[in-house]
Amino acid sequence: MKTITMMQYFMKSPRRNLGVTFLLLMLVNFTSCQNGTPFHHKPSWFKYYTQYSPSQQHDYYRGHIPQCPEEDPNVAFGVQAFYAQRDYQPFWTRTGVDEGIVSELLYYIADAHSHGIHPDKFNYGQIVALLDSLKNHKVQNDDSILHGTLMDMELLLTRSYLQYAKALRYGIADPKVVNGGKWLYDYEKPDTLFVKKALEALSDVKAAMADLQVTDKAYQRYQEELASWRERPQAPDTIPLTMWYKHATDPSYKTLCQRLKWLGNLSENVPDTNCLTAKVLAAVNDFRTDNAIPTLLQVIFYVASIRRLSRNSTGPQSSI
């Protein structure tokens, strides 16, 4: 009587073959869960990087992340503690790039416009460019260069997440700085505890990003108003409102400077510029406080609506 091995028995039938494949996948996932680490598939485009090694990546992170400086001391403490607790194992860049959680973060950052913030405030363009360079195999297939690039992306994503969390919880402007040091009210600032809790929430990235969204009804009404302004047709000879949230620099900012000078809030000695400089922003804020306008966004809408009725006009006319 001929004897066959168990593997030969299963391989004789396509149905049995499928069953073996399923059982092996279940075994891999079960083993992964037993070890406390979820199973992550490597992106198909990442197969180009043959010099990638998870163990070498881990060693690289362990040797270099502690040496990476952070401008914000609270962020520095939180980031270092976060990776130290993970023994410097990658979070966003495990198995090369964890596309699931990275895309979840980028989805919300790309929608920062709905909060009146440019996505590049959270390094959106830089992240996308770095990710595209990896996907298009523009990063050299060298172990040191590749692992260094992955570490740059790893830390950039963590910083961007914290910047986004801080912006939605505390805002992006320090009222004392914006008002030239003239601010007598108490206000909250992000601290080490906030950074620690925000990083702990990354155990579920999707839930963490959803929980950061502001649920205050008044805030949501401002969001709706902002969205409606963007959809309105532009009046002749006015600053395009879409410019405020799509461009960090724009030629139309020079028009803003001129109109702030008409209003007397910007010195004639300040050159017209296509950038939102500190002096221009200070002039916008002066206009806000002088006219008791609650938000900076409303100031921008108001000033953007001001236009001269004729070339012979010497002062501003309001179209609202």
Side-chain angles (χ1 to χ4, degrees), residues 124-182:
Y124 180 78
Q126 189 178 352
I127 294 170
V128 171
L130 194 54
L131 192 57
D132 284 346
S133 69
L134 282 165
K135 287 185 175 181
N136 295 318
H137 305 152
K138 294 181 180 179
V139 176
Q140 187 174 338
N141 189 16
D142 172 86
D143 56 353
S144 180
I145 294 174
L146 174 60
H147 296 140
T149 302
L150 290 174
M151 188 191 74
D152 290 342
M153 172 167 277
E154 175 78 30
L155 294 176
L156 183 62
L157 287 163
T158 302
R159 293 188 193 108
S160 299
Y161 164 73
L162 287 174
Q163 291 167 356
Y164 183 87
K166 287 167 58 180
L168 265 63
R169 175 64 179 83
Y170 297 97
I172 62 172
D174 186 327
K176 192 169 185 178
V177 173
V178 172
N179 285 277
K182 301 174 183 178

Short mmCIF file of all heavy atoms in Angstrom, two decimals, residues 124-182:
data_model
loop_
_atom_site.label_atom_id
_atom_site.label_comp_id
_atom_site.label_asym_id
_atom_site.label_seq_id
_atom_site.Cartn_x
_atom_site.Cartn_y
_atom_site.Cartn_z
N TYR A 124 1.44 68.66 5.34
CA TYR A 124 0.75 67.77 4.40
C TYR A 124 1.53 67.59 3.10
O TYR A 124 1.77 66.46 2.64
CB TYR A 124 -0.65 68.32 4.10
CG TYR A 124 -1.45 67.48 3.13
CD1 TYR A 124 -2.07 66.31 3.56
CD2 TYR A 124 -1.57 67.84 1.79
CE1 TYR A 124 -2.80 65.53 2.67
CE2 TYR A 124 -2.29 67.07 0.90
CZ TYR A 124 -2.91 65.91 1.34
OH TYR A 124 -3.61 65.13 0.46
N GLY A 125 1.94 68.70 2.49
CA GLY A 125 2.65 68.62 1.23
C GLY A 125 3.96 67.87 1.35
O GLY A 125 4.34 67.10 0.46
N GLN A 126 4.66 68.08 2.45
CA GLN A 126 5.94 67.41 2.67
C GLN A 126 5.75 65.90 2.83
O GLN A 126 6.52 65.10 2.29
CB GLN A 126 6.61 67.98 3.92
CG GLN A 126 8.05 67.51 4.11
CD GLN A 126 8.70 68.15 5.32
OE1 GLN A 126 8.14 69.06 5.95
NE2 GLN A 126 9.89 67.68 5.68
N ILE A 127 4.69 65.51 3.55
CA ILE A 127 4.42 64.08 3.75
C ILE A 127 4.07 63.42 2.42
O ILE A 127 4.59 62.34 2.09
CB ILE A 127 3.27 63.88 4.75
CG1 ILE A 127 3.68 64.36 6.14
CG2 ILE A 127 2.85 62.41 4.82
CD1 ILE A 127 2.53 64.42 7.14
N VAL A 128 3.19 64.06 1.65
CA VAL A 128 2.76 63.49 0.37
C VAL A 128 3.95 63.37 -0.58
O VAL A 128 4.11 62.36 -1.29
CB VAL A 128 1.65 64.35 -0.26
CG1 VAL A 128 1.36 63.92 -1.69
CG2 VAL A 128 0.38 64.27 0.58
N ALA A 129 4.82 64.40 -0.61
CA ALA A 129 6.00 64.37 -1.49
C ALA A 129 6.94 63.23 -1.08
O ALA A 129 7.48 62.52 -1.95
CB ALA A 129 6.73 65.70 -1.43
N LEU A 130 7.12 63.05 0.22
CA LEU A 130 8.01 61.99 0.70
C LEU A 130 7.42 60.61 0.39
O LEU A 130 8.14 59.69 -0.04
CB LEU A 130 8.22 62.15 2.21
CG LEU A 130 9.36 61.35 2.86
CD1 LEU A 130 10.68 61.62 2.15
CD2 LEU A 130 9.46 61.72 4.34
N LEU A 131 6.12 60.49 0.57
CA LEU A 131 5.46 59.22 0.27
C LEU A 131 5.51 58.92 -1.23
O LEU A 131 5.76 57.77 -1.63
CB LEU A 131 4.01 59.28 0.75
CG LEU A 131 3.21 57.97 0.78
CD1 LEU A 131 3.90 56.94 1.65
CD2 LEU A 131 1.79 58.23 1.30
N ASP A 132 5.31 59.94 -2.05
CA ASP A 132 5.38 59.75 -3.50
C ASP A 132 6.79 59.34 -3.95
O ASP A 132 6.95 58.52 -4.86
CB ASP A 132 4.96 61.03 -4.23
CG ASP A 132 3.46 61.24 -4.20
OD1 ASP A 132 2.73 60.28 -3.87
OD2 ASP A 132 3.02 62.37 -4.50
N SER A 133 7.80 59.91 -3.31
CA SER A 133 9.17 59.56 -3.67
C SER A 133 9.46 58.10 -3.36
O SER A 133 10.19 57.43 -4.10
CB SER A 133 10.17 60.47 -2.95
OG SER A 133 10.18 60.19 -1.55
N LEU A 134 8.87 57.59 -2.28
CA LEU A 134 9.02 56.17 -1.96
C LEU A 134 8.25 55.30 -2.95
O LEU A 134 8.77 54.31 -3.46
CB LEU A 134 8.54 55.91 -0.53
CG LEU A 134 9.48 56.31 0.61
CD1 LEU A 134 8.74 56.33 1.94
CD2 LEU A 134 10.66 55.35 0.68
N LYS A 135 7.02 55.69 -3.22
CA LYS A 135 6.18 54.89 -4.12
C LYS A 135 6.73 54.84 -5.54
O LYS A 135 6.60 53.84 -6.24
CB LYS A 135 4.75 55.45 -4.14
CG LYS A 135 3.95 55.16 -2.88
CD LYS A 135 2.52 55.64 -3.03
CE LYS A 135 1.69 55.26 -1.82
NZ LYS A 135 0.27 55.69 -1.96
N ASN A 136 7.35 55.95 -5.96
CA ASN A 136 7.91 56.02 -7.31
C ASN A 136 9.37 55.58 -7.36
O ASN A 136 10.06 55.80 -8.36
CB ASN A 136 7.77 57.44 -7.87
CG ASN A 136 6.31 57.83 -8.05
OD1 ASN A 136 5.51 57.03 -8.51
ND2 ASN A 136 5.97 59.06 -7.68
N HIS A 137 9.84 54.99 -6.26
CA HIS A 137 11.18 54.40 -6.19
C HIS A 137 12.28 55.42 -6.46
O HIS A 137 13.28 55.11 -7.11
CB HIS A 137 11.29 53.22 -7.15
CG HIS A 137 10.23 52.18 -6.93
ND1 HIS A 137 9.77 51.36 -7.94
CD2 HIS A 137 9.52 51.85 -5.82
CE1 HIS A 137 8.83 50.55 -7.46
NE2 HIS A 137 8.66 50.83 -6.17
N LYS A 138 12.06 56.64 -5.97
CA LYS A 138 13.07 57.68 -6.13
C LYS A 138 14.05 57.71 -4.97
O LYS A 138 15.05 58.44 -5.01
CB LYS A 138 12.39 59.05 -6.27
CG LYS A 138 11.57 59.20 -7.54
CD LYS A 138 10.94 60.57 -7.64
CE LYS A 138 10.13 60.69 -8.93
NZ LYS A 138 9.48 62.03 -9.04
N VAL A 139 13.75 56.93 -3.92
CA VAL A 139 14.67 56.80 -2.80
C VAL A 139 15.65 55.68 -3.12
O VAL A 139 15.25 54.59 -3.56
CB VAL A 139 13.92 56.50 -1.49
CG1 VAL A 139 14.89 56.26 -0.34
CG2 VAL A 139 12.97 57.64 -1.15
N GLN A 140 16.93 55.94 -2.91
CA GLN A 140 17.95 54.96 -3.26
C GLN A 140 17.76 53.66 -2.48
O GLN A 140 17.49 53.68 -1.27
CB GLN A 140 19.33 55.54 -2.99
CG GLN A 140 20.49 54.68 -3.48
CD GLN A 140 21.81 55.39 -3.31
OE1 GLN A 140 21.87 56.62 -3.22
NE2 GLN A 140 22.90 54.63 -3.28
N ASN A 141 17.89 52.54 -3.16
CA ASN A 141 17.71 51.23 -2.54
C ASN A 141 18.99 50.84 -1.80
O ASN A 141 19.69 49.88 -2.13
CB ASN A 141 17.37 50.19 -3.61
CG ASN A 141 16.95 48.86 -3.01
OD1 ASN A 141 16.65 48.77 -1.82
ND2 ASN A 141 16.98 47.82 -3.82
N ASP A 142 19.27 51.61 -0.77
CA ASP A 142 20.43 51.40 0.09
C ASP A 142 19.94 51.34 1.52
O ASP A 142 19.10 52.16 1.92
CB ASP A 142 21.43 52.54 -0.10
CG ASP A 142 22.57 52.51 0.90
OD1 ASP A 142 23.56 51.80 0.63
OD2 ASP A 142 22.44 53.17 1.95
N ASP A 143 20.42 50.39 2.31
CA ASP A 143 19.84 50.17 3.63
C ASP A 143 19.88 51.41 4.51
O ASP A 143 18.89 51.79 5.13
CB ASP A 143 20.50 48.98 4.33
CG ASP A 143 22.01 49.14 4.44
OD1 ASP A 143 22.56 50.10 3.86
OD2 ASP A 143 22.65 48.30 5.12
N SER A 144 21.02 52.11 4.55
CA SER A 144 21.14 53.28 5.41
C SER A 144 20.27 54.43 4.92
O SER A 144 19.55 55.07 5.71
CB SER A 144 22.61 53.73 5.47
OG SER A 144 22.75 54.87 6.30
N ILE A 145 20.29 54.70 3.61
CA ILE A 145 19.48 55.79 3.05
C ILE A 145 18.00 55.49 3.20
O ILE A 145 17.20 56.35 3.59
CB ILE A 145 19.84 56.03 1.58
CG1 ILE A 145 21.28 56.54 1.46
CG2 ILE A 145 18.87 57.00 0.92
CD1 ILE A 145 21.78 56.67 0.04
N LEU A 146 17.61 54.26 2.91
CA LEU A 146 16.20 53.88 2.99
C LEU A 146 15.69 53.97 4.41
O LEU A 146 14.64 54.57 4.67
CB LEU A 146 16.02 52.45 2.47
CG LEU A 146 14.62 51.85 2.61
CD1 LEU A 146 13.59 52.69 1.85
CD2 LEU A 146 14.59 50.41 2.13
N HIS A 147 16.43 53.41 5.38
CA HIS A 147 15.97 53.44 6.76
C HIS A 147 15.99 54.85 7.33
O HIS A 147 15.15 55.21 8.16
CB HIS A 147 16.84 52.50 7.61
CG HIS A 147 16.71 51.06 7.19
ND1 HIS A 147 17.79 50.20 7.15
CD2 HIS A 147 15.64 50.34 6.76
CE1 HIS A 147 17.38 49.01 6.73
NE2 HIS A 147 16.09 49.07 6.49
N GLY A 148 16.92 55.67 6.84
CA GLY A 148 16.94 57.07 7.25
C GLY A 148 15.73 57.82 6.72
O GLY A 148 15.12 58.64 7.44
N THR A 149 15.34 57.55 5.46
CA THR A 149 14.16 58.18 4.88
C THR A 149 12.89 57.75 5.62
O THR A 149 12.01 58.56 5.89
CB THR A 149 14.05 57.81 3.39
OG1 THR A 149 15.23 58.23 2.70
CG2 THR A 149 12.83 58.48 2.75
N LEU A 150 12.82 56.46 5.94
CA LEU A 150 11.65 55.96 6.69
C LEU A 150 11.57 56.60 8.07
O LEU A 150 10.48 56.91 8.55
CB LEU A 150 11.72 54.44 6.81
CG LEU A 150 11.50 53.64 5.51
CD1 LEU A 150 11.75 52.16 5.75
CD2 LEU A 150 10.10 53.87 4.97
N MET A 151 12.72 56.80 8.71
CA MET A 151 12.71 57.44 10.02
C MET A 151 12.26 58.89 9.92
O MET A 151 11.51 59.38 10.77
CB MET A 151 14.09 57.37 10.68
CG MET A 151 14.09 57.86 12.13
SD MET A 151 15.74 58.09 12.82
CE MET A 151 16.24 59.60 11.97
N ASP A 152 12.70 59.59 8.86
CA ASP A 152 12.25 60.97 8.66
C ASP A 152 10.73 61.02 8.51
O ASP A 152 10.08 61.90 9.08
CB ASP A 152 12.91 61.56 7.41
CG ASP A 152 14.40 61.79 7.59
OD1 ASP A 152 14.86 61.82 8.75
OD2 ASP A 152 15.12 61.92 6.58
N MET A 153 10.19 60.08 7.74
CA MET A 153 8.74 60.03 7.57
C MET A 153 8.06 59.67 8.89
O MET A 153 7.02 60.26 9.24
CB MET A 153 8.35 59.04 6.48
CG MET A 153 6.85 58.79 6.40
SD MET A 153 6.36 57.92 4.90
CE MET A 153 6.26 59.29 3.76
N GLU A 154 8.61 58.74 9.61
CA GLU A 154 8.06 58.31 10.90
C GLU A 154 7.90 59.51 11.84
O GLU A 154 6.82 59.75 12.40
CB GLU A 154 8.98 57.27 11.53
CG GLU A 154 8.60 56.83 12.93
CD GLU A 154 7.46 55.83 12.94
OE1 GLU A 154 7.31 55.06 11.98
OE2 GLU A 154 6.70 55.83 13.93
N LEU A 155 8.97 60.25 12.03
CA LEU A 155 8.94 61.39 12.96
C LEU A 155 8.09 62.53 12.42
O LEU A 155 7.41 63.23 13.20
CB LEU A 155 10.36 61.86 13.24
CG LEU A 155 11.25 60.87 13.99
CD1 LEU A 155 12.67 61.41 14.13
CD2 LEU A 155 10.68 60.58 15.38
N LEU A 156 8.11 62.73 11.11
CA LEU A 156 7.29 63.79 10.51
C LEU A 156 5.81 63.51 10.72
O LEU A 156 5.04 64.42 11.05
CB LEU A 156 7.60 63.90 9.01
CG LEU A 156 6.88 65.00 8.25
CD1 LEU A 156 7.26 66.37 8.78
CD2 LEU A 156 7.21 64.92 6.76
N LEU A 157 5.40 62.26 10.58
CA LEU A 157 3.99 61.89 10.79
C LEU A 157 3.60 62.07 12.26
O LEU A 157 2.51 62.55 12.56
CB LEU A 157 3.76 60.45 10.35
CG LEU A 157 3.76 60.22 8.83
CD1 LEU A 157 3.94 58.75 8.51
CD2 LEU A 157 2.48 60.75 8.21
N THR A 158 4.48 61.70 13.16
CA THR A 158 4.18 61.86 14.60
C THR A 158 4.06 63.33 14.96
O THR A 158 3.13 63.75 15.66
CB THR A 158 5.27 61.20 15.45
OG1 THR A 158 5.35 59.81 15.11
CG2 THR A 158 4.94 61.31 16.94
N ARG A 159 5.00 64.15 14.46
CA ARG A 159 4.93 65.60 14.73
C ARG A 159 3.66 66.19 14.13
O ARG A 159 3.00 67.03 14.76
CB ARG A 159 6.15 66.30 14.14
CG ARG A 159 7.48 65.94 14.80
CD ARG A 159 8.59 66.83 14.27
NE ARG A 159 9.90 66.32 14.64
CZ ARG A 159 10.74 65.75 13.79
NH1 ARG A 159 10.41 65.64 12.51
NH2 ARG A 159 11.93 65.32 14.20
N SER A 160 3.33 65.80 12.92
CA SER A 160 2.14 66.34 12.24
C SER A 160 0.88 65.99 13.01
O SER A 160 -0.02 66.81 13.15
CB SER A 160 2.07 65.81 10.81
OG SER A 160 3.21 66.20 10.08
N TYR A 161 0.81 64.77 13.49
CA TYR A 161 -0.34 64.35 14.30
C TYR A 161 -0.45 65.22 15.55
O TYR A 161 -1.55 65.71 15.89
CB TYR A 161 -0.21 62.89 14.69
CG TYR A 161 -1.12 62.48 15.82
CD1 TYR A 161 -2.49 62.34 15.63
CD2 TYR A 161 -0.60 62.27 17.09
CE1 TYR A 161 -3.33 61.99 16.68
CE2 TYR A 161 -1.44 61.91 18.15
CZ TYR A 161 -2.79 61.77 17.94
OH TYR A 161 -3.63 61.43 18.99
N LEU A 162 0.67 65.45 16.24
CA LEU A 162 0.64 66.26 17.46
C LEU A 162 0.28 67.72 17.14
O LEU A 162 -0.46 68.36 17.90
CB LEU A 162 1.99 66.19 18.17
CG LEU A 162 2.30 64.88 18.88
CD1 LEU A 162 3.73 64.88 19.42
CD2 LEU A 162 1.31 64.63 20.02
N GLN A 163 0.80 68.25 16.05
CA GLN A 163 0.46 69.62 15.66
C GLN A 163 -1.03 69.75 15.37
O GLN A 163 -1.66 70.74 15.74
CB GLN A 163 1.28 70.03 14.43
CG GLN A 163 2.76 70.20 14.71
CD GLN A 163 3.59 70.28 13.45
OE1 GLN A 163 3.08 70.12 12.34
NE2 GLN A 163 4.89 70.51 13.59
N TYR A 164 -1.57 68.75 14.71
CA TYR A 164 -3.00 68.75 14.40
C TYR A 164 -3.82 68.66 15.69
O TYR A 164 -4.80 69.40 15.87
CB TYR A 164 -3.33 67.57 13.48
CG TYR A 164 -4.77 67.50 13.03
CD1 TYR A 164 -5.21 68.19 11.90
CD2 TYR A 164 -5.70 66.75 13.74
CE1 TYR A 164 -6.53 68.12 11.48
CE2 TYR A 164 -7.03 66.67 13.33
CZ TYR A 164 -7.44 67.35 12.21
OH TYR A 164 -8.75 67.28 11.81
N ALA A 165 -3.42 67.76 16.59
CA ALA A 165 -4.14 67.60 17.85
C ALA A 165 -4.09 68.89 18.67
O ALA A 165 -5.10 69.32 19.25
CB ALA A 165 -3.53 66.44 18.65
N LYS A 166 -2.93 69.53 18.71
CA LYS A 166 -2.79 70.79 19.46
C LYS A 166 -3.63 71.89 18.84
O LYS A 166 -4.25 72.68 19.55
CB LYS A 166 -1.31 71.21 19.49
CG LYS A 166 -0.44 70.35 20.40
CD LYS A 166 1.05 70.60 20.17
CE LYS A 166 1.42 72.04 20.38
NZ LYS A 166 2.88 72.26 20.13
N ALA A 167 -3.66 71.95 17.51
CA ALA A 167 -4.41 73.00 16.82
C ALA A 167 -5.90 72.89 17.12
O ALA A 167 -6.57 73.90 17.37
CB ALA A 167 -4.16 72.94 15.32
N LEU A 168 -6.43 71.69 17.09
CA LEU A 168 -7.87 71.52 17.32
C LEU A 168 -8.24 71.65 18.78
O LEU A 168 -9.37 72.01 19.10
CB LEU A 168 -8.35 70.17 16.77
CG LEU A 168 -8.92 70.25 15.35
CD1 LEU A 168 -7.86 70.69 14.36
CD2 LEU A 168 -9.53 68.93 14.92
N ARG A 169 -7.30 71.40 19.66
CA ARG A 169 -7.59 71.52 21.10
C ARG A 169 -7.33 72.92 21.63
O ARG A 169 -8.09 73.45 22.44
CB ARG A 169 -6.75 70.50 21.87
CG ARG A 169 -6.87 70.59 23.40
CD ARG A 169 -8.29 70.29 23.87
NE ARG A 169 -8.39 70.36 25.32
CZ ARG A 169 -8.57 71.49 26.00
NH1 ARG A 169 -8.68 72.65 25.34
NH2 ARG A 169 -8.65 71.48 27.32
N TYR A 170 -6.26 73.56 21.15
CA TYR A 170 -5.84 74.86 21.71
C TYR A 170 -5.80 75.99 20.69
O TYR A 170 -5.58 77.14 21.07
CB TYR A 170 -4.45 74.73 22.34
CG TYR A 170 -4.39 73.76 23.50
CD1 TYR A 170 -3.96 72.45 23.31
CD2 TYR A 170 -4.76 74.15 24.78
CE1 TYR A 170 -3.90 71.55 24.36
CE2 TYR A 170 -4.70 73.26 25.84
CZ TYR A 170 -4.27 71.96 25.62
OH TYR A 170 -4.22 71.06 26.68
N GLY A 171 -5.98 75.71 19.40
CA GLY A 171 -5.82 76.74 18.39
C GLY A 171 -4.38 76.81 17.92
O GLY A 171 -3.49 76.19 18.50
N ILE A 172 -4.13 77.58 16.86
CA ILE A 172 -2.78 77.66 16.30
C ILE A 172 -2.09 78.98 16.62
O ILE A 172 -0.91 79.15 16.31
CB ILE A 172 -2.80 77.45 14.77
CG1 ILE A 172 -3.61 78.54 14.09
CG2 ILE A 172 -3.30 76.07 14.41
CD1 ILE A 172 -3.50 78.51 12.58
N ALA A 173 -2.79 79.93 17.22
CA ALA A 173 -2.20 81.24 17.51
C ALA A 173 -2.19 81.48 19.02
O ALA A 173 -3.14 81.14 19.72
CB ALA A 173 -2.97 82.34 16.81
N ASP A 174 -1.11 82.04 19.50
CA ASP A 174 -1.00 82.45 20.90
C ASP A 174 -1.58 83.86 20.99
O ASP A 174 -1.01 84.80 20.43
CB ASP A 174 0.46 82.43 21.34
CG ASP A 174 0.62 82.72 22.83
OD1 ASP A 174 -0.19 83.50 23.39
OD2 ASP A 174 1.56 82.18 23.44
N PRO A 175 -2.71 84.06 21.68
CA PRO A 175 -3.33 85.39 21.71
C PRO A 175 -2.42 86.47 22.27
O PRO A 175 -2.51 87.63 21.87
CB PRO A 175 -4.57 85.18 22.60
CG PRO A 175 -4.31 83.93 23.36
CD PRO A 175 -3.45 83.08 22.48
N LYS A 176 -1.53 86.10 23.16
CA LYS A 176 -0.62 87.10 23.74
C LYS A 176 0.38 87.58 22.70
O LYS A 176 0.68 88.76 22.60
CB LYS A 176 0.12 86.50 24.94
CG LYS A 176 0.86 87.52 25.78
CD LYS A 176 1.36 86.93 27.08
CE LYS A 176 2.00 87.99 27.96
NZ LYS A 176 2.44 87.42 29.26
N VAL A 177 0.86 86.65 21.87
CA VAL A 177 1.81 87.01 20.82
C VAL A 177 1.11 87.83 19.74
O VAL A 177 1.61 88.86 19.28
CB VAL A 177 2.44 85.74 20.20
CG1 VAL A 177 3.30 86.11 18.99
CG2 VAL A 177 3.28 85.02 21.24
N VAL A 178 -0.09 87.38 19.33
CA VAL A 178 -0.85 88.08 18.29
C VAL A 178 -1.18 89.50 18.71
O VAL A 178 -1.17 90.42 17.89
CB VAL A 178 -2.13 87.30 17.97
CG1 VAL A 178 -3.03 88.10 17.04
CG2 VAL A 178 -1.79 85.95 17.32
N ASN A 179 -1.45 89.71 19.99
CA ASN A 179 -1.82 91.04 20.48
C ASN A 179 -0.62 91.82 21.01
O ASN A 179 -0.79 92.77 21.79
CB ASN A 179 -2.86 90.91 21.59
CG ASN A 179 -4.23 90.57 21.05
OD1 ASN A 179 -4.99 91.44 20.62
ND2 ASN A 179 -4.55 89.28 21.03
N GLY A 180 0.57 91.44 20.61
CA GLY A 180 1.76 92.20 21.00
C GLY A 180 2.02 92.20 22.49
O GLY A 180 2.51 93.19 23.03
N GLY A 181 1.68 91.11 23.17
CA GLY A 181 1.91 91.01 24.61
C GLY A 181 0.80 91.58 25.45
O GLY A 181 0.83 91.49 26.68
N LYS A 182 -0.22 92.17 24.80
CA LYS A 182 -1.33 92.80 25.54
C LYS A 182 -2.48 91.81 25.65
O LYS A 182 -3.43 91.84 24.87
CB LYS A 182 -1.78 94.07 24.83
CG LYS A 182 -0.67 95.10 24.68
CD LYS A 182 -1.14 96.28 23.84
CE LYS A 182 -0.02 97.28 23.62
NZ LYS A 182 -0.45 98.42 22.77
#
